[in-house]
Amino acid sequence: MPFSSRLLLCLALGACLPGPALLAAAPAGAPAAAELEAIRTLSHSSTVDALGRLEALQARTGKEAPYPLRRDLLRTEVALREDAGQLERAYAVERQALLLAIDNNDPVFAALARLGAVHQLLDQNRTHEAQDALAEVRAGLPDHPPRMLRVALGRAEGDTFNAKAQFDKALAAYLQALTLEQDDPHAGESRAKLLAQIARVYINVDNPAKAIETTRQALRERAVPARTVGRLQFTEGIALLKLQRDKEGIAAFKHALDSATRGGLSRLEAEVRGNIADYFLRQHDYPRAEQEARLALDASERVKDENMVLMAKANLGFALMGQKRFADGLPYVDAVIASLEQAGATTDLAAMLDEKGRMQEQAGLYKEALATLRKHQAAQQSGERAARDRAVAALQEEYEAGQRTRQIDLLRRENQVKDADLRSRRLLQLLTTVGALLIVAAGAVVLVLYRRSAGTNVRLNQLNTQLTYHSQHDALTGLYNRRWFLEKMAARGTQAQRKDEPHSVDCIMLMDIDHFKHINDRWGHGVGDAVLVEVARRLCAAVRESDMVMRWGGEEFLIYAPGADPAHVADIVARVLDGTGATPLEAGAGKVPVTLTAGVVTLPLPGAGPDGGDWERAIRLADWALYHGKENGRNQARIVTGLLAPLESVLAAAGGAQAGAPGLIEMSCLHGPAQGTA
C-alpha cells in the first residue's frame, strides 16, 4: 500500500528548530539558551535523549522564563515530538505556542504555529480545509515576513499541493523555498529537507531516476542530521524499487531503518518496516512478508498512527492469506476493510477488496470471491459517484466565487460612476460652457460600462458551458461518463421505435481492462493513467462515428452502438478486441500488454419477449457476461445470443449465487489477440 506523503516529508515546522539567532534571550536566560542549543545538537543523533533533556530544562525554567526562551523551548519540542512520531503531542504543543505568541504580540511565530494546524489537516486527509487554513495564514502575515517564515510557508504550500496530487504546483512551491535558502551556508539541513520533499514529488510523477539524483544531492549538503539522512535513504529506496533495482532498494531501506532505530525515530521506523513488508508481499514471499508486517505493526502501534496501523494489518492479513492461512489472515483484512468503510475511503477500500477477491479466487474459493467482487464493484461505483460530486461541487464553488468577485467589482464601478457624476454636477454649476463636452464624456463612460458588462456575460456563459462539459465527460480520457449515458438512455425510453431500419439493433458492450491493478503495481499509476488514455483512443478508433464510447468507471469502458446490423455485431466486437489488444502500449519502462474482457448484449434482447427488454436490464446482462468472461480466462468477449427462460428469471439467476447455472443464457465467445504476459 502506498505511504502518505506526510510519512516521508518532514513537516515544515520541523525545519524551524531554533538556531543561535532565535536563542537570544535575556542575560539571565543565557545558561538555559546554551543548554537548548546543546539539546538541538543532540537531536541530530538521538531524539529520545534530546526529549529527555528538553523536558528537564522545561521543568527547571518554568512559566516565569522570558518569552523568547519559552517560545524556543516550545518550537524545539514540536520538532522533537514529530521526529519521535508523537504527532498528537506535537499539535498540542503547537497550540500552546500559538497562544503564547498571540499573548506576546508576535505575528511571525503565531503564523508558524498556525502552520501546525495546516499539517494536522493534511495528516487527516482534509486537503481542502488545509488549503483554506493556509490561505488564512497568508492573509494574516506581517508586511515584511522574515525568510524563515517564507520558507516554512513554501513547504506547507508544497505539502498541500502534493496531497492534492497537483505535483507541478508542489514542485514550484518547494523550488521557490529552496531558492530562498540557496545562499545561506548554515541552511544545509533545511535545503536537505526541501530536496527530500522534491524527490518525493519526482516519485509521485513516476520519475524515480530524478528522485535518486535529488536525494544524493541532498546527502552532499553539510551538517545533515541523522533523522534527515534516514528519510533521504528511505526515499532513495522507494525510487530504486520503482526502477526494479530491488537489491539496492532493500539495502537503502535497511540503512534508513538503522538510522531510525539509532536515532529513536519511531515514526520513520514504522514507515520503513511497513514498506519492507509491502515489498515482500509484492514478491509473493509471504513468510518474509508476515515477519516484516508483524514488526511494522508493533512499530506503528507504538507510534499510534492509525493510517500506518491499517497498512501494517493489511499487509499481515494478505501475507497470512498468501500462505493459505485464511482463518488467521481474514480477521486482519476484514478489520481494515471495516475501518475504510467507516472512514469513507472508497479508493483504498476498492483496492483492498480487489486484492482480497484475487486471493480467494487463487485459493479456489469462488463463491467467496464472487461476493467480494460484488462489494468491490459497489465500492468502485460509490467512489466514482463521490469523485464526480466533488468535482461538480468544486466547479460550482469556483463559479460562485467568481460571481461574488464580479458583484464586488460591479459595486466598486457603480460607486466610481456615482462619484464621477457628483463631480460632474459641481463642474456643470461652475463651468456651464463645457456642458456639451461633459455629456459626451458621460456617454463614453456608459458605453465602456456596457461593453464590460457584455464581456462579463460572455465569461459567465463560458463558465456554464465548462460546468456542463465537466459534468458529462471523464477528466482523464475526455470520453463521455456514466452520468451522460444514463441521461441519454433515459431520453431513449424503454423501447426505441425504428422506422428506417426496423431490423437493426442497439449494441451495448461493457469492457474491463485485464489485470489493471497489476499494471499499476508494476509500472506505477502514471503508466496506469497512460493505459486508460490509450485504451480510450483505441476504442474510439475501432468504432463508427455514430457509436459512443464512455468511461464507465475505473478501468471499465462501455460502447453504445445504435442501429447496428445484427449480422455484424460479432465483427464490431472483434474489431474492438483486436484494435485494443493487438499492440502493447509503449511506456518508458518497456512495453505494457493490454487486453480487454467484455460482455455484449443487443437491444431488443434476443428471446426477451414482446417488449424486447430495457437498457437497464441489458446492462445487468452485459455485466454478468463480462464476469463470466473473466472467470474463463479474460482477453475475450462473451456475446449474449439468446435467452432460454423468461427475462426476469434469467436476471434473478444472474444476480444470485448460481449466476453460472447452465440452461438460461446462450452465449458466443470471441477471443482477443494473444500477447505476452505483463
Side-chain angles (χ1 to χ4, degrees):
M1 296 174 67
F3 60 93
S4 172
S5 59
R6 67 179 172 76
L7 303 181
L8 171 63
L9 307 179
C10 184
L11 297 178
L13 297 177
C16 298
L17 276 169
L22 300 182
L23 295 174
E35 170 68 0
L36 187 55
E37 179 63 18
I39 290 170
R40 180 176 181 272
T41 302
L42 177 61
S43 72
H44 292 182
S45 58
S46 175
T47 301
V48 174
D49 292 342
L51 262 176
R53 284 181 63 174
L54 179 68
E55 289 171 349
L57 178 59
Q58 288 172 320
R60 290 200 305 272
T61 56
K63 295 184 178 181
E64 302 304 320
Y67 165 67
L69 178 60
R70 292 180 63 198
R71 174 197 67 195
D72 295 342
L73 285 168
L74 291 174
R75 296 237 54 79
T76 305
E77 184 179 0
V78 167
L80 291 177
R81 295 209 181 276
E82 286 169 357
D83 285 338
Q86 302 172 13
L87 283 185
E88 292 302 322
R89 291 284 300 277
Y91 293 139
V93 175
E94 199 74 83
R95 289 189 287 272
Q96 294 179 36
L98 175 59
L99 294 175
L100 182 65
I102 292 173
D103 289 343
N104 288 273
N105 195 25
D106 187 344
V108 171
F109 280 87
L112 283 173
R114 287 191 175 97
L115 288 177
V118 174
H119 286 94
Q120 184 174 15
L121 291 169
L122 290 176
D123 276 338
Q124 297 167 351
N125 297 319
R126 296 157 63 184
T127 53
H128 292 292
E129 296 175 56
Q131 193 168 40
D132 292 341
L134 184 59
E136 291 179 6
V137 174
R138 283 196 174 278
L141 288 179
D143 291 337
H144 301 288
R147 185 187 68 184
M148 170 192 64
L149 179 54
R150 286 182 287 152
V151 171
L153 282 167
R155 291 176 188 274
E157 191 171 57
D159 291 347
T160 304
F161 284 131
N162 195 35
K164 296 184 72 173
Q166 297 176 352
F167 301 124
D168 54 340
K169 295 181 180 179
L171 184 59
Y174 291 142
L175 289 173
Q176 185 177 8
L178 184 63
T179 302
L180 293 172
E181 300 280 53
Q182 202 61 51
D183 298 326
D184 186 351
H186 303 294
E189 179 181 354
S190 179
R191 286 194 296 270
K193 288 180 178 180
L194 281 166
L195 288 168
Q197 291 166 301
I198 291 170
R200 176 57 185 158
V201 173
Y202 284 130
I203 289 175
N204 287 339
V205 298
D206 204 22
N207 191 350
K210 188 67 175 177
I212 293 172
E213 177 186 336
T214 305
T215 58
R216 291 178 179 174
Q217 178 186 349
L219 289 169
R220 289 195 293 270
E221 291 285 349
R222 298 178 60 185
V224 180
R227 60 175 178 269
T228 306
V229 170
R231 293 186 180 279
L232 288 165
Q233 292 166 333
F234 183 30
T235 305
E236 184 174 352
I238 294 167
L240 288 166
L241 290 181
K242 280 184 170 287
L243 290 172
Q244 298 182 357
R245 293 160 60 178
D246 292 8
K247 187 175 180 180
E248 297 173 75
I250 291 299
F253 277 173
K254 290 181 178 178
H255 290 316
L257 190 59
D258 183 58
S259 298
T261 52
R262 283 190 291 105
L265 306 173
S266 302
R267 185 171 196 77
L268 179 60
E269 178 188 354
E271 298 165 23
V272 177
R273 291 196 184 280
N275 278 265
I276 292 175
D278 192 54
Y279 166 77
F280 285 114
L281 194 61
R282 292 197 305 271
Q283 298 300 312
H284 304 296
D285 186 348
Y286 297 119
R288 185 68 181 276
E290 178 193 352
Q291 176 186 350
E292 296 295 340
R294 291 189 185 279
L295 293 172
L297 181 58
D298 178 66
S300 301
E301 288 176 339
R302 280 189 277 112
V303 173
K304 297 181 180 178
D305 185 292
E306 185 61 27
N307 287 333
M308 288 194 292
V309 169
L310 290 178
M311 174 182 173
K313 286 184 176 180
N315 286 340
L316 178 56
F318 287 132
L320 292 168
M321 291 173 69
Q323 300 175 68
K324 311 302 181 185
R325 295 161 60 187
F326 282 85
D328 296 331
L330 273 175
Y332 288 105
V333 172
D334 289 339
V336 175
I337 289 173
S339 296
L340 295 175
E341 286 177 335
Q342 184 176 4
T346 53
T347 301
D348 291 336
L349 175 61
M352 285 289 298
L353 289 169
D354 181 59
E355 187 64 28
K356 177 183 176 182
R358 291 179 188 279
M359 284 201 164
Q360 289 172 327
E361 182 181 3
Q362 291 171 4
L365 302 174
Y366 298 115
K367 181 177 179 181
E368 292 82 354
L370 176 60
T372 303
L373 174 63
R374 296 296 185 192
K375 290 183 179 179
H376 171 251
Q377 291 173 337
Q380 276 190 321
Q381 292 172 1
S382 176
E384 290 154 11
R385 285 195 300 271
R388 182 188 65 228
D389 292 343
R390 286 194 299 270
V392 173
L395 285 171
Q396 184 66 28
E397 181 181 354
E398 181 181 353
Y399 164 71
E400 290 175 354
Q403 190 177 46
R404 288 192 296 270
T405 302
R406 287 191 295 273
Q407 289 172 346
I408 293 171
D409 189 47
L410 181 59
L411 289 173
R412 180 177 57 81
R413 292 176 184 174
E414 288 177 352
N415 288 333
Q416 290 175 346
V417 172
K418 290 177 181 178
D419 292 341
D421 184 52
L422 289 173
R423 288 192 298 269
S424 298
R425 289 185 180 184
R426 295 191 193 100
L427 194 59
L428 280 171
Q429 292 172 356
L430 298 173
L431 304 170
T432 57
T433 58
V434 296
L437 293 177
L438 291 175
I439 293 173
V440 173
V445 171
V446 172
L447 178 60
V448 170
L449 290 176
Y450 172 79
R451 289 181 175 176
R452 290 182 179 178
S453 176
T456 300
N457 288 334
V458 169
R459 179 57 181 158
L460 178 60
N461 289 334
Q462 290 174 344
L463 288 173
N464 284 332
T465 301
Q466 291 174 7
L467 182 61
T468 301
Y469 178 87
H470 287 298
S471 69
Q472 294 181 345
H473 288 76
D474 174 58
L476 178 64
T477 63
L479 298 176
Y480 283 112
N481 59 21
R482 183 193 294 250
R483 174 181 177 178
W484 178 88
F485 178 76
L486 297 179
E487 292 173 352
K488 185 79 173 176
M489 290 296 99
R492 177 187 184 276
T494 58
Q495 185 175 4
Q497 299 296 325
R498 305 185 179 282
K499 296 180 180 179
D500 297 332
E501 299 179 277
H503 300 296
S504 65
V505 295
D506 291 353
C507 179
I508 296 176
M509 185 173 180
L510 185 62
M511 296 153 288
D512 187 286
I513 299 176
D514 294 330
H515 304 296
F516 185 73
K517 183 179 184 298
H518 177 65
I519 293 173
N520 277 334
D521 289 345
R522 178 169 178 178
W523 284 284
H525 289 275
V527 172
D529 287 347
V531 167
L532 292 172
V533 173
E534 177 61 15
V535 167
R537 187 195 67 79
R538 293 182 182 184
L539 291 175
C540 291
V543 299
R544 305 169 302 177
E545 290 184 359
S546 60
D547 298 338
M548 287 156 279
V549 182
M550 286 142 281
R551 186 175 179 194
W552 196 243
E555 65 268 27
E556 285 189 327
F557 295 82
L558 185 141
I559 293 176
Y560 177 59
D565 187 339
H568 294 163
V569 168
D571 295 336
I572 295 172
V573 175
R575 193 164 61 245
V576 168
L577 292 177
D578 292 338
T580 305
T583 306
L585 174 70
E586 294 288 345
K591 294 185 177 181
V592 181
V594 180
T595 60
L596 298 176
T597 301
V600 185
V601 296
T602 57
L603 284 173
L605 291 169
D611 64 350
D614 58 27
W615 65 271
E616 293 178 294
R617 289 183 284 185
I619 292 288
R620 290 170 59 189
L621 281 180
D623 183 55
W624 183 90
L626 167 63
Y627 179 75
H628 196 74
K630 282 186 170 292
E631 286 289 294
N632 288 275
R634 294 184 171 87
N635 190 18
Q636 59 182 264
R638 296 285 173 149
I639 305 174
V640 177
T641 57
L643 304 179
L644 303 180
L647 178 58
E648 294 302 326
S649 299
V650 172
L651 291 174
Q658 300 298 323
L664 296 178
I665 301 177
E666 287 184 341
M667 289 190 298
S668 62
C669 178
L670 290 178
H671 290 279
Q675 286 194 356
T677 59

